[in-house]
Amino acid sequence: MKMLHPHRARLQRRMVGSTNRWRFPREAFSGDLLGLSQMCKALNVDFEEVLKNPDRLCISQIQKIFSGNLKNKTIPSGEADVILTCLGSKWELHQPQLFQSETLAKLFLMALAQGTTSPTKELERLLRAHSRGNVKERPPIKKMVISLKINDPLVTKVAFATALKNLYLSEVEINTNDVLGVLASAHILQLSSLFQRCVTMMMNGLMPSTIKDFYLAGCKYKEEQLTTACEKWLEMNLVPLVGTQIHLRKIPQELLHKVLRSPRLFTFNEFHLLKTLLLWVFLQLNHKIQTVPVHETVLAFFKSFPKKHSFLDQDAGQSLVPLFLCLRLHGIIKGKNLEELRHINFFPESWLIRVTANHYHALENGGDMVHVKDLATQAMRFGLLFNQEYTTHSEMIAVYGFFFEIKGIKHDTTSYSFYMQRVKHTDLGFPSLLYEHGPVSLRTERLVKYEIRAQTLVDGKWQEFRTNQITQKFGFVKPSCKSHALKVQTVGIPIYASFSFIFPTS
């Protein structure tokens, strides 16, 4: 006899019962119910009891028998043979489609075991007919009723109907407003491909109005891919986008804490991040507010609390302390902003004294930040949000009398560079507001340890570019006045560019 598949691994055979059915020892159950029945007889195991406990059956193997005729997901023309009662409605289904759902398959097998005098013969007849793929040979079976109770509040009738429709269509259309319900329905029905499609759709649909619900769904169904996507998206958009909308109120404290601790967190500067966090607290305490208030309203609210203790020392604020410990308050260096912090009586006095002392010692030592050691967790941070319309974009910053320009340049449609450079306060076009009410250092050199990072979203995945941690002396003339440039090749837009630096002891 001619060997048709000479390279195929030889299957092992196991003697089971009197008819020597094929069995594959590496799998618990191959889908051969006739062989399973005979094995149960040989081992004196009650096959009826096995059917009553479908978890002991390998449902996925039974599904293979039906899946051969479902490759094109042709909608059956015959009458439905299964009635599913769920969510106060009755849904008519067909057995081959039903077995794509492990949950429904188990319900069907349990109903078969309880509703017929000989479930073994019924199931054997059913499986034989379907394995031949001949509709005419399939036995006439009266409509079987199965019931599914759902307690998940995310599941709606519309979403559940969409999930059931997926049993019949290769790619069912999912409405954006129903994606949470479809995800929950797919989880209950154990439709893995539909579930993953919903996850992908949610990851691509992150925005201020959806971030909370999508994140909580990821936590509920233990979908780490989705929760990670939510965290990364919020790391970039907390300050520039979510922090400007009323949806900020919905951000869970646990998620906010994770994002604040992340070294990838984007912010224009530390005071911007503080304003966002103060607004979040304000919205938690004022549920009736439906529009984003101006910053002065937020300040006035916190000033209204008793002056005896700071807000974070009071009962309402103690649970929020871990959030504000994530801030780098020493990165707030403008005198006006520091005065604002003191007047609202939000932070404990000891925190403000420490910040003031650190600034004093740094100024006294020519800018050396003796109190800062770790660039990743303690550096002063500034950011540029490089939008599509920009060809160049820059900001001026002043730190302890030293002045820097952080800058981004677009070279062509996919090529960018980001760098920082030291500038003199007397340079043409330098904004006088930066030095009129602040110190000016006359030191010709300033030792700086820095890192430049850029991130952008491309096809649902974050691209990250970064320099190493570089220590460099900055002078006033080229090339010493300019940092290493971070070169970026990407089609993503916008680009979130972060500049982190400290002044080491020189």
Side-chain angles (χ1 to χ4, degrees), residues 33 45 78 117 133 135 173 179 181 194 214 244 264 285 301-302 312 324 384 387 397 399 422 426 442 455 466 472:
L33 286 177
V45 176
T117 56
V135 178
E173 184 179 347
V179 68
L194 179 62
F214 288 3
T244 64
R264 295 182 297 271
L285 300 175
F301 172 76
F302 290 115
L312 291 181
F324 287 89
L384 292 177
N387 291 315
I397 56 178
V399 180
R422 189 180 175 191
T426 56
L442 299 178
Q455 298 171 85
R466 58 192 296 185
Q472 175 184 335

Side-chain angles (χ1 to χ4, degrees), residues 24-39:
F24 308 121
R26 294 182 183 178
E27 296 181 21
F29 171 55
S30 68
D32 188 347
L33 286 177
L34 295 176
L36 178 63
S37 172
Q38 290 163 2
M39 186 182 75

Side-chain angles (χ1 to χ4, degrees), residues 58-93:
C58 187
I59 301 294
S60 63
Q61 299 299 327
I62 301 177
Q63 291 171 327
K64 290 180 182 178
I65 297 175
F66 292 96
S67 63
N69 299 321
L70 292 174
K71 289 180 180 178
N72 297 322
K73 288 210 172 184
T74 305
I75 298 178
S77 57
E79 187 179 357
D81 43 25
V82 179
I83 304 292
L84 169 65
T85 61
C86 183
L87 299 175
S89 297
K90 293 182 179 180
W91 316 80
E92 293 189 341
L93 303 172

Side-chain angles (χ1 to χ4, degrees), residues 410-454:
K410 182 178 182 179
H411 302 289
D412 56 47
T413 54
T414 61
S415 180
Y416 306 82
S417 61
F418 298 90
Y419 62 90
M420 57 187 286
Q421 62 183 2
R422 189 180 175 191
V423 295
K424 290 183 179 180
H425 68 285
T426 56
D427 286 352
L428 186 65
F430 191 85
S432 59
L433 288 175
L434 281 179
Y435 65 86
E436 277 186 352
H437 303 289
V440 175
S441 176
L442 299 178
R443 292 178 62 169
T444 56
E445 290 185 333
R446 173 65 260 172
L447 188 65
V448 181
K449 187 176 184 180
Y450 65 91
E451 179 185 61
I452 305 172
R453 185 193 305 254

